[in-house]
Amino acid sequence: MTPDLFSHAPDDSARGGPNADTLGPGAFVLRGFALERLAALQADIDAVIAQAPLRHWLTPGGKRMSVAMTNCGDVGWISDRMGYRYGTHDPLSKQRWPRMPASFARLARDAAQAAGYPDFAPDACLINRYTLDARLTLHQDRDERELGAPIVSVSLGLPAIFLWGGLQRGARTRKVRLEPGDVVVWGGQSRLAYHGIASVEGSFDANAVRFNLTLRKAR
């Protein structure tokens, strides 16, 4: 997989637009990029969850994840005692994952294009729901066969502190505040950068949550 990692890197002139913050080579935060689409995205998130309910995966070591997750698209990301992997069917219902809403695919394509990655066509979308006590430790997205394609991550709901690291776990980590409507896109030399969520910001309201869409080319 590694030889293709840099084959689709953006050219040096790609900066993600005037409202983009640069995280690293080929990695950007597109500020407010999805702001006008949030209502439609949330409606489609709710429709997916109605078909494939959120659940807390177990890590291979048996630890329950604090982030609740589900999937849509051709394949979905799965974690259990057997390991991390993609599968075509929901292990709970034994049905195929719901189809990816057109609004998700369109936003992913538009954001990737703005960040210098043309023709991005995701086949998997992981939906994450964060409550105030949820965290996501530093990790790499490396379960995909196609490491040459970028990752597009969309924020909805409560703000969060995003962790952005380097290609080694021990590299220096930046804290980046993400607001609803912000979209993070990374690929090329930054495709295997460590990242995570340190905290979610908001009042102690049981109905106040953060949603995140992570769109990838997995197969």
Side-chain angles (χ1 to χ4, degrees):
M1 293 186 294
T2 306
D4 292 332
L5 183 56
F6 307 118
S7 61
H8 302 290
D11 61 58
D12 292 338
S13 64
R15 293 293 183 270
N19 296 320
D21 298 337
T22 301
L23 296 174
F28 308 95
V29 181
L30 308 181
R31 295 295 182 184
F33 191 88
L35 202 55
E36 296 182 356
R37 313 190 200 192
L38 291 183
L41 292 172
Q42 187 62 60
D44 283 336
I45 289 172
D46 294 342
V48 171
I49 292 173
Q51 299 176 68
L54 293 159
R55 75 291 307 267
H56 294 269
W57 295 123
L58 294 178
T59 67
K63 184 177 180 180
R64 179 179 182 269
M65 292 185 176
S66 63
V67 180
M69 303 179 180
T70 190
N71 293 281
C72 60
D74 295 340
V75 292
W77 187 81
I78 300 166
S79 176
D80 57 24
R81 291 182 179 274
M82 296 174 60
Y84 305 125
R85 62 194 184 281
Y86 282 94
T88 57
H89 288 66
D90 183 341
L92 299 185
S93 68
K94 311 303 181 185
Q95 302 295 315
R96 293 192 69 90
W97 293 108
R99 294 182 64 181
M100 185 184 300
S103 65
F104 293 9
R106 186 180 309 114
L107 174 59
R109 183 177 62 250
D110 292 347
Q113 177 74 37
Y117 299 96
D119 304 319
F120 177 51
D123 58 8
C125 178
L126 177 64
I127 300 174
N128 294 331
R129 185 193 66 189
Y130 293 81
T131 53
L132 291 177
D133 60 347
R135 306 287 184 269
L136 194 62
T137 57
L138 283 173
H139 64 282
Q140 294 173 302
D141 286 2
R142 59 180 313 126
D143 299 317
E144 299 75 35
R145 294 178 185 173
E146 178 51 85
L147 294 180
I151 296 170
V152 175
S153 177
V154 186
S155 293
L156 302 90
L158 295 176
I161 301 301
F162 179 63
L163 299 174
W164 179 258
L167 299 180
Q168 303 297 323
R169 184 178 292 277
R172 184 175 181 179
T173 302
R174 293 173 54 187
K175 293 184 177 180
V176 182
R177 192 172 193 269
L178 296 180
E179 300 278 357
D182 289 346
V183 180
V184 185
V185 182
W186 68 96
Q189 296 180 52
S190 296
R191 175 58 179 76
L192 292 178
Y194 279 87
H195 58 283
I197 293 292
S199 62
V200 177
E201 300 179 352
S203 61
F204 286 94
D205 178 351
N207 296 317
V209 297
R210 173 182 188 258
F211 277 101
N212 168 258
L213 304 176
T214 303
L215 295 116
R216 308 181 181 103
K217 176 66 176 173
R219 297 289 176 89

